[in-house]
Amino acid sequence: MSVERLNLAAPRHIAIIMDGNGRWAQQRFLPRAVGHHAGVKAVRKIVEFCAADSTCEVLSLFAFSSENWNRPESEVSILMALFLTTLQSEIDKLHKNNIRLCFIGDRTAFDSALQQKMNEGEQKTKDNTALTLVIAANYGGRWDMAQACKVISERVAAGELSSHEINETVINKHLSLSDFPEPDLFIRTGGEQRVSNFMLWQLAYTELYFTPILWPDFNQIALQEAITSFQSRQRRFGYTGDQITVIANP
Ligand code: IPE
Ligand code: IPE
Ligand code: MG
């Protein structure tokens, strides 16, 4: 994270763990699937808000973790079906709203119809500029680091790269989010205060915000509250508070 970013009042990249769909449904004595459907509606609202916000360039949403395959098969298939129908109905709308869609994670585990839709969504929206929406699907921060290590070691073995040249910049270049600024603001809904294998490398200096609101209830007002909390903080990146004040007000 560079010092130039210190003056920034609003987050350029917001990364969200959308948690609490299951509990939202259970509180209403409804099947967990209903919570996941309600979660998609919340996604629409938050994407709309971020697309209208001129400072927010990237919105990353954790949709399915590499560990979520451990859930009951019935829930996994509901999530896969919902993923596909959501892409079928939303890609054109995202494109119309000038939103670029990207996916991070190991997509080879998904069935071919889903992979095809993911590729189509990325292709169709690749030149859009209002917002980049990153969906983390079958994603894990550890997976990302492992796949980067694999590619780097292959490049060393092929003689393209020397092991002495491996540094943070080289590693970063091989990670899924290398094209984007690091998240400024991390939000986790649903009350748990953990990172659950999301963006382990990139969260190094991200401001963390936890809210008990369950994801289907998370809305523009709640997001604005998170942004306001972010704006009240002093990011130090290892400097002292006094140094930061000087850098911010030269
Ligand atoms: C997040 O909600 C959505 C996914 C992980 C796909 P959960 O399904 O984890 O909801 P809770 O945490 O059980 O309430
Ligand atoms: C994190 O939520 C993953 C997503 C929101 C997609 P989980 O509900 O899977 O996380 P844990 O298991 O409570 O840590
Ligand atoms: Mg959960």
Side-chain angles (χ1 to χ4, degrees), residues 17-19 62-65 68 71 188 192 194 196:
I17 297 188
M18 311 184 286
D19 196 20
F62 204 3
F64 191 84
S65 76
N68 287 147
R71 293 192 176 198
R188 181 173 186 143
E192 311 302 345
R194 55 179 172 254
S196 299

